[in-house]
Structures are given as C-alpha cells and as structure tokens.
Amino acid sequence: MTGDAEALVRAVTQLSSVPLVPELRLHLLMPTSPLWRATPDEARLQGLELPYWAFAWPGGQALARWVLDHRESVHGQRVLDVGSGGAIEGLAAMTSGATQVVCADVDPVASVAAQLNATANGVRLETVTVDVLAREAASFDCDVVLVGDLTFDEALTVRLIPWLRAHRALGREVLVGDAGRVPLPIDLEVIDEHAAPFDGNPEGSVDWRVLVRRLR
Ligand SMILES: C[S@@+](CC[C@H](N)C(=O)[O-])C[C@H]1O[C@@H](n2cnc3c(N)ncnc32)[C@H](O)[C@@H]1O
C-alpha cells in the first residue's frame, strides 16, 4: 500500500511551493493536471479519492505562515496537526523547532504525502491514519493543536469545535487556519489575516481572505 501510494503521490504532483510559504516545498497538484478540477466521480475513475493531500489549502497556508512568523509558539512543543493532508502547517511547526509533530488524517495516502513532504524539507514527522473525532482529545499527547482548513464543511465543523474545546480545557494551545467557508464561534478569536491563493494554487492568483484564529 505505502509503495503504491508513494508512486501515486509522485505521479500526480510536482515538488513546488506556494507564494505565501516559500520556505517549504511540497508535493502539489499543478493546475495543469486533469485532476485539478476533477469531480469525485472523475477522480475515482483514475483510482483516486479526491487528493486533498495534494493541495496546500488556504487555511493551512495561513496557519503555516503564522507559525513560521511566530516560531516561539511551537518551539520545544509537541504538536498535533489535525486533518493534516500534505501537512504544510506540521512542516512549519517542525522547521520552527517543535520537538515532535504528529500528523493525523483519515486518508492513508495523506500520511504518505506528508512523509514525502517531510523528506523534501529535511525534517521528521510522525503520521497516524485516524478519524480524529472518533478519539478523545485526551488520548492525544500534545501541547499545541494545529488545524489547517478543516472547517470546510458545516457538519464536520459542528463536531470539530467541541473536540477542540476539549483540547483547550486540557491547557493546549489551539490554532486554526480558517478559509471562511463556515461561520465560526467567537471563542475562536482572530489573531491574523492573510490573502492566500485559491484552493492552494501554487501558481498564485491571490483570491482568498484567510484568518488565523486562536481558541480562547
Ligand atoms: C482541506 S484538507 C486540509 C489539509 C491541510 N491541513 C492543509 O491545510 O493543506 C482537510 C483534510 O482533513 C482530513 N480530514 C477530514 N475529516 C477528518 C477527520 N475526521 N479526521 C482526520 N482527518 C480528517 C481530510 O482527509 C483532508 O486531508
């Protein structure tokens, strides 16, 4: 599975950077790829679920930018990257001096993409394939929780917020990169704002207002 997945990630992506986070290199889908705007059915015909891991999503880009600009927020800390995909925010944490970054994603191919991206940036990430919401917050060992562009769907967000509050109640810092797809509660205070390319387009075209939020 891992070998096949690795070949798949390499086949559909190019090692590239996004304008907001030029420090990091990721395996990214190019807009010229037929998969760029494929529907789920079209993707399945190619043997794929939609490759979320092949984009640096706007929320993840803004959060990675914030972490790289505020390295002290993760330096010496254990970080959980939730819904990590290609793990742009996890990579930002690891290159900023986190002692450990665990990337958690429900899609097993995301773990493979995150590992390839870790290698490309000369850092180590740990990966786990899990539906995070099926596990208690307390079952994760971490000091900082990074959430890049996971608030993209209302049903998912409604389940995610109490789970994040459970992390906060355990004393953990919770930081969210929010592309504004779903309204979020006021205890997720806005701490920064960026413009990021539409759905991770590595070729630019800055279109999205993206917020970095911290859970009070
Ligand atoms: C929009 S992508 C964001 C990826 C990355 N954080 C970024 O910003 O580039 C959302 C990711 O969350 C993952 N995901 C969705 N629901 C999840 C869940 N319940 N548990 C773990 N991962 C989940 C998806 O598989 C996908 O990789």
Side-chain angles (χ1 to χ4, degrees):
M1 165 66 188
T2 303
D4 288 351
E6 196 173 312
L8 169 70
V9 174
R10 291 187 192 280
V12 302
T13 62
Q14 283 179 30
L15 205 50
S16 184
S17 295
V18 286
L20 194 58
V21 195
E23 299 95 326
L24 299 176
R25 285 156 60 75
L26 295 101
H27 289 80
L28 296 173
L29 195 66
M30 294 293 125
T32 47
S33 164
L35 266 178
W36 177 260
R37 290 284 172 237
T39 64
D41 283 347
E42 287 163 347
R44 266 181 219 115
L45 281 176
Q46 298 182 51
L48 281 173
E49 296 300 320
L50 272 187
Y52 285 96
W53 42 263
F55 295 89
W57 292 84
Q61 290 183 45
L63 186 52
R65 182 71 268 142
W66 192 88
V67 167
L68 287 165
D69 291 343
H70 301 84
R71 290 171 186 261
E72 68 286 356
S73 63
V74 294
H75 189 87
Q77 306 291 308
R78 298 164 305 159
V79 173
L80 177 65
D81 180 357
V82 179
S84 43
I88 187 168
E89 56 284 309
L91 291 167
M94 209 60 211
T95 58
S96 298
T99 53
Q100 179 193 48
V101 175
V102 176
C103 296
D105 199 291
V106 72
D107 179 351
V109 186
S111 294
V112 176
Q115 290 296 354
L116 287 173
N117 290 337
T119 301
N121 291 280
V123 295
R124 290 172 64 90
L125 295 176
E126 293 178 29
T127 50
V128 53
T129 300
V130 63
D131 173 354
V132 291
L133 299 176
R135 281 182 51 182
E136 298 282 326
S139 71
F140 293 93
D141 271 336
C142 59
D143 308 303
V144 179
V145 180
L146 299 180
V147 188
D149 224 314
L150 192 53
T151 50
F152 59 82
D153 167 272
E154 193 151 6
L156 177 60
T157 302
V158 162
R159 296 176 60 218
L160 182 65
I161 299 296
W163 188 81
L164 294 178
R165 287 184 180 133
H167 280 283
R168 189 74 195 108
L170 291 164
R172 300 165 181 172
E173 185 83 284
V174 177
L175 297 163
V176 174
D178 163 33
R181 304 173 202 270
V182 171
L184 294 180
I186 53 165
D187 57 349
L188 273 167
E189 65 180 337
V190 176
I191 56 170
D192 204 359
E193 179 179 338
H194 289 281
F198 176 75
D199 282 349
N201 185 343
E203 294 182 353
S205 95
V206 172
D207 280 316
W208 283 62
R209 176 172 175 261
V210 200
L211 302 175
V212 180
R213 295 173 179 268
R214 175 190 278 129
L215 193 55
R216 281 200 196 109

